[in-house]
Amino acid sequence: MTLDRINFLKDEINKSNYKYYVEENPYLSDFEYDQLFAELKQLEEQFPLLKTPDSPTQRVGSVSEKFFPHTHKYRLYSLDNTYNDEELYKWYDRVEKECGKDIDLVCELKIDGLAIALTYEKGIFVRGVTRGDGITGEDITTNLKTVKAIPLKLFEPVDVEVRGEIYMPKSSFEKLNEENLAKGEKVFANPRNAASGSIRQLDSTITAKRDLSIFVYSSVFENIPNAPSTHYDGMMYLKKLGFKVNPNVRHCKNMEEAIQYIKEWDTKRFDLDYATDGVVIKVNSIACQQDLGFTSRAPKWATAFKFPPEEITTKLLDIELNIGKSGAVTPVAILEPVLLAGSTVARASLHNFDEIKRLDVRIGDTVLIKKAAEIIPKVIKVMETEEHKSLQPYVAPTKCPACDASLVTREGEVNLYCENQNCSQQIMAKIEFWVSKDAMDIDNIGPAVIQQLYEGNFISNPVDLYKLTMQDFMQLEGVKEKSAYNMFNAIQESKERPLKRLLTALGVRHIGKETAELITSEFTSLDAIKNAERDMLAKIDGVGDKMADSVYEFFHNEENLKMLDELKALGINPTAEVTTKSDKLGGKTFVLTGTLQNMTRDAASELIKQNGGKTSSSVSKKTDYVLAGENAGSKLDKAQNLGVIILTEDEFLEMIKEY
């Protein structure tokens, strides 16, 4: 009887939470809800063995020392952005070429929040992880359990991973800031920052007090007969399971209807109680999504249309000069602080000195600023005023503001450069980039700490970070033993970062994190990259001659080679991340061409790597197999001429099974 009563109470409370937080249609009065909750809590205290993870009483939270990394079972990708109708039609044309004419679409409002992945086993919520870099995130399950719009138990016992966006309603954000201001505590810049700060509290009882919610936007079902064959049906099924789906999701027959949806929400969005910065357009057919596949960073079957950013005028107080890791001198506008798109802006990009000349920006001007993609503020116009005419035209510098070296231009570029390798700002910029999230991801080492370490002669380059001791950190102003330990430990942990991060951190010209990932998927060690010929690098899809030249030259520079040897001696010698299930295809090189029927080429490539093989973008005498789908092109012809073995998709799958 006791177990039956507990199950009844849990179901009633979960149903009430769903009605209140998801459907926004209260099912019980506050008094009735409190009575049921108190009875459940009392019974669980009396019979602790009957307390289960899906119980509503488990939402209260607890205190954790840290969040632990968790590798996503299914990678989370970013989205490519579009900003006008022409770009949308270009994307749609590419979709139609692959999947046929008049492909139907699904439009969803792009929620400005924090992306997370939720895992359910037999309908029970077991894990919640932040997006992180898409491959690895942080396990914040305890905190997510406090978000009442996230069901702890689904209405059906299915296995599913659901992606969603945690957000804080605008009204709750304003209330939180008012309360914090009254208490003299931190005031958040915008709802997204408030949501992110709240969900990542080590003390999840604080998270429980914040009014957070979620909209889910995609899912991966496992072992479900008759799983939804379209994205829209999948969203409706998620709603049926008990998830909060945005009510403004719309099924569109074509791009014209999608554009109509975008125009409709361009102004209506301001009436919503949550922040949205665009519309996500997705191909509806799951089969077509699988055919289209992914690039290295984003799905080819979806794109995000970004709404025009807000614009506002303010006064330009000064122009500050920053020296980057490459020596490029970047002018930055120092502004009279102003509220723009939900946050206070006091600095804005001026890009380069040609842009200053084009706009005729003068110190003291009234300027129009906007947020590029609603993230980076930039000056877009000088307002025509009488005051402008009386101000002195801005003259570009000829000397580096940090080291007084002469500034130079480079052929084909508009930037000015400081080429003094010992320039203090340039060195600190290189170190700041090294520790950044996109590079070696070293927590607790910020610009202020780097400046103290550099000016105190503790470091003169990124390599020196790995020579620091706890005692070195203890000598810095305001650093106590715990902080020193955290900084020292963060540096030691970074020695285990994957090769793609190290290649990014090295700051090779023209090589960002995405290109670094492409290169390290082909060359899985520093020695392999060092020994790669220019043409081998250039043949990697997405690299090309210019990037290949940069990598080749970097790894054939004596100073750089000495630095790499020093890093190796200090314990940093990572290899690429390769998840190998077997060695069935060990040492074999595959080239993929044409359209496969049962999987995307990306999925086939992953299977090859998981079984010990490798892929190449071009056919040569060293190619072992060409996996050819429908409409295979010149690669198939070249393989036939060279006598390379050509596999059908069925033959390839049989090879994986029995090779």
Side-chain angles (χ1 to χ4, degrees):
M1 290 294 292
T2 302
L3 178 59
D4 290 342
R5 182 60 183 172
I6 285 177
N7 287 335
F8 169 78
L9 292 169
K10 287 194 298 186
D11 287 343
E12 282 296 290
I13 294 169
N14 282 331
K15 184 178 179 181
S16 178
N17 282 334
Y18 173 77
K19 289 285 187 180
Y20 188 91
Y21 294 102
V22 177
E23 291 191 341
E24 298 178 349
N25 180 26
Y27 170 69
L28 299 172
S29 69
D30 289 348
F31 177 77
E32 289 171 318
Y33 182 93
D34 290 341
Q35 290 287 96
L36 293 176
F37 195 95
E39 183 185 351
L40 176 61
K41 190 174 180 182
Q42 182 181 2
L43 286 173
E44 287 182 342
E45 288 173 354
Q46 190 176 349
F47 303 97
L49 292 178
L50 298 181
K51 186 187 294 185
T52 58
D54 64 312
S55 173
T57 62
Q58 300 307 293
R59 293 189 185 273
V60 293
S62 60
V63 179
S64 173
E65 291 185 359
K66 65 178 291 189
F67 297 122
F68 292 94
H70 183 85
T71 301
H72 292 292
K73 186 174 183 180
Y74 306 101
R75 179 174 174 178
L76 277 70
Y77 287 84
S78 301
L79 284 169
D80 288 330
N81 294 327
T82 51
Y83 297 94
N84 54 55
D85 293 0
E86 182 181 354
E87 291 178 353
L88 282 173
Y89 277 113
K90 284 181 179 177
W91 170 79
Y92 193 58
D93 285 344
R94 291 194 293 271
V95 168
E96 286 188 313
K97 284 178 183 176
E98 188 75 25
C99 298
K101 290 292 183 181
D102 298 321
I103 298 299
D104 59 330
L105 306 166
V106 176
C107 289
E108 308 165 23
L109 293 177
K110 188 173 183 294
I111 309 303
D112 194 14
L114 181 74
I116 49 96
L118 308 173
T119 301
Y120 288 78
E121 294 176 0
K122 293 183 171 58
I124 304 299
F125 177 46
V126 296
R127 188 177 302 104
V129 184
T130 62
R131 181 189 182 281
D133 64 1
I135 296 172
T136 303
E138 291 178 307
D139 189 329
I140 56 169
T141 306
T142 303
N143 287 16
L144 289 171
K145 281 185 175 182
T146 70
V147 180
K148 294 185 176 68
I150 295 177
L152 298 180
K153 182 181 180 181
L154 304 181
F155 294 144
E156 293 180 20
V158 296
D159 293 344
V160 63
E161 180 176 296
V162 178
R163 282 80 182 272
E165 202 83 1
I166 295 288
Y167 71 94
M168 179 177 286
K170 292 177 184 176
S171 53
S172 303
F173 163 73
E174 291 166 1
K175 183 180 177 182
L176 175 63
N177 269 354
E178 287 173 3
E179 291 173 352
N180 283 5
L181 197 60
K183 293 185 287 188
E185 295 177 359
K186 176 183 177 181
V187 175
F188 292 97
N190 52 53
R192 185 185 190 282
N193 286 350
S196 180
S198 299
I199 204 66
R200 298 189 75 259
Q201 292 283 335
L202 290 175
D203 183 353
S204 58
T205 59
I206 296 175
T207 308
K209 295 174 184 176
R210 304 279 172 84
D211 185 17
L212 298 174
S213 193
I214 186 175
F215 284 124
V216 300
Y217 56 78
S218 71
S219 59
V220 181
F221 290 100
E222 294 183 349
N223 305 319
I224 297 182
N226 303 315
S229 61
T230 68
H231 178 71
Y232 186 82
D233 288 346
M235 296 289 280
M236 295 305 101
Y237 185 48
L238 289 177
K239 189 175 180 180
K240 181 182 175 184
L241 289 174
F243 290 104
K244 187 174 182 180
V245 174
N246 191 284
N248 301 304
V249 174
R250 185 178 299 172
H251 183 194
C252 298
K253 294 179 182 177
N254 48 44
M255 182 52 71
E256 286 73 21
E257 289 190 6
I259 289 173
Q260 184 57 43
Y261 178 94
I262 291 167
K263 289 178 179 177
E264 177 183 332
W265 283 102
D266 191 19
T267 52
K268 277 175 61 176
R269 62 192 170 107
F270 296 112
D271 297 327
L272 298 170
D273 193 31
Y274 49 87
T276 178
D277 57 356
V279 169
V280 179
I281 304 103
K282 300 175 181 176
V283 169
N284 190 31
S285 165
I286 301 297
C288 188
Q289 288 184 9
Q290 292 172 346
D291 286 341
L292 287 162
F294 300 79
T295 66
S296 63
R297 66 175 297 276
K300 296 178 183 177
W301 43 265
T303 189
F305 180 91
K306 301 304 288 286
F307 288 126
E310 295 177 26
E311 301 173 353
I312 197 167
T313 58
T314 187
K315 188 174 283 291
L316 188 144
L317 305 176
D318 199 2
I319 294 177
E320 183 181 278
L321 303 178
N322 289 344
I323 315 300
K325 59 183 172 58
S326 67
V329 183
T330 304
V332 178
I334 307 301
L335 307 168
E336 198 169 87
V338 64
L339 190 66
L340 175 65
S343 61
T344 301
V345 174
R347 298 162 66 86
S349 172
L350 285 165
H351 295 292
N352 53 60
F353 299 103
D354 278 6
E355 181 74 354
I356 291 178
K357 185 176 180 181
R358 184 184 72 81
L359 294 172
D360 192 18
V361 175
R362 307 180 186 189
I363 295 172
D365 270 331
T366 298
V367 295
L368 182 68
I369 62 171
K370 76 171 185 179
K371 284 193 173 181
E374 298 196 24
I375 298 173
I376 305 166
K378 66 177 182 179
V379 175
I380 59 171
K381 183 180 178 181
V382 172
M383 306 307 291
E384 295 180 9
T385 63
E386 287 299 319
E387 186 181 17
H388 170 76
K389 299 173 184 177
S390 65
L391 299 172
Q392 288 292 319
Y394 183 80
V395 178
T398 58
K399 300 284 187 181
C400 173
C403 67
D404 207 37
S406 295
L407 299 178
V408 300
T409 57
R410 292 176 180 170
E411 186 178 350
E413 297 191 32
V414 296
N415 287 323
L416 289 174
Y417 286 89
C418 170
E419 295 197 323
N420 175 16
Q421 296 299 309
N422 297 314
C423 173
S424 59
Q425 271 200 32
Q426 193 175 154
I427 292 170
M428 285 190 281
K430 287 178 180 177
I431 300 170
E432 286 178 26
F433 179 72
W434 184 278
V435 306
S436 69
K437 291 289 182 186
D438 285 345
M440 297 299 276
D441 191 17
I442 304 177
D443 285 338
N444 306 306
I445 311 289
V449 170
I450 290 170
Q451 185 173 350
Q452 279 201 69
L453 288 169
Y454 179 79
E455 292 177 350
N457 295 317
F458 292 101
I459 58 174
S460 61
N461 56 58
V463 178
D464 288 343
L465 289 168
Y466 298 94
K467 302 174 185 176
L468 293 170
T469 65
M470 273 190 61
Q471 287 69 31
D472 293 330
F473 287 113
M474 293 284 287
Q475 294 182 55
L476 303 182
E477 184 180 345
V479 175
K480 300 256 186 332
E481 185 174 354
K482 185 175 181 180
S483 296
Y485 172 78
N486 288 339
M487 288 188 278
F488 175 78
N489 196 48
I491 291 171
Q492 301 312 305
E493 287 179 352
S494 75
K495 292 180 178 180
E496 304 299 321
R497 298 285 185 260
L499 180 60
K500 63 183 179 183
R501 284 191 171 275
L502 178 58
L503 182 56
T504 302
L506 290 172
V508 181
R509 200 170 176 213
H510 307 307
I511 306 301
K513 64 177 183 178
E514 289 165 13
T515 308
E517 185 172 356
L518 292 174
I519 292 170
T520 56
S521 67
E522 294 286 338
F523 300 96
T524 57
S525 69
L526 278 177
D527 284 340
I529 299 173
K530 189 193 311 180
N531 295 326
E533 296 297 330
R534 274 191 176 91
D535 63 336
M536 294 169 66
L537 292 163
K539 286 177 181 176
I540 300 172
D541 284 340
V543 177
D545 293 337
K546 193 174 183 181
M547 295 175 182
D549 286 343
S550 287
V551 174
Y552 184 86
E553 288 163 11
F554 182 93
F555 283 90
H556 286 76
N557 176 285
E558 285 299 323
E559 290 300 314
N560 293 337
L561 293 176
K562 287 179 184 176
M563 176 189 66
L564 293 173
D565 287 342
E566 195 171 3
L567 284 170
K568 187 173 182 179
L570 289 165
I572 302 99
N573 187 32
T575 56
E577 295 174 299
V578 179
T579 304
T580 304
K581 294 180 180 178
S582 78
D583 196 37
K584 292 177 182 177
L585 305 179
K588 304 299 182 184
T589 299
F590 287 72
V591 172
L592 287 71
T593 183
T595 303
L596 304 176
Q597 297 303 305
N598 299 306
M599 69 186 91
T600 63
R601 293 202 332 222
D602 288 340
S605 178
E606 187 64 27
L607 275 174
I608 290 166
K609 292 172 184 175
Q610 287 176 358
N611 286 278
K614 59 183 180 178
T615 60
S616 176
S617 60
S618 59
V619 179
S620 70
K621 291 180 180 178
K622 295 181 180 179
T623 304
D624 294 291
Y625 300 100
V626 167
L627 173 54
E630 290 184 6
N631 302 316
S634 59
K635 292 179 182 178
L636 178 60
D637 295 336
K638 188 171 182 180
Q640 290 170 334
N641 291 334
L642 291 174
V644 175
I645 299 172
I646 298 166
L647 299 173
T648 65
E649 186 174 353
D650 288 341
E651 288 171 337
F652 168 70
L653 291 173
E654 192 66 23
M655 175 183 281
I656 294 291
K657 182 179 177 182
E658 297 181 358
Y659 185 81

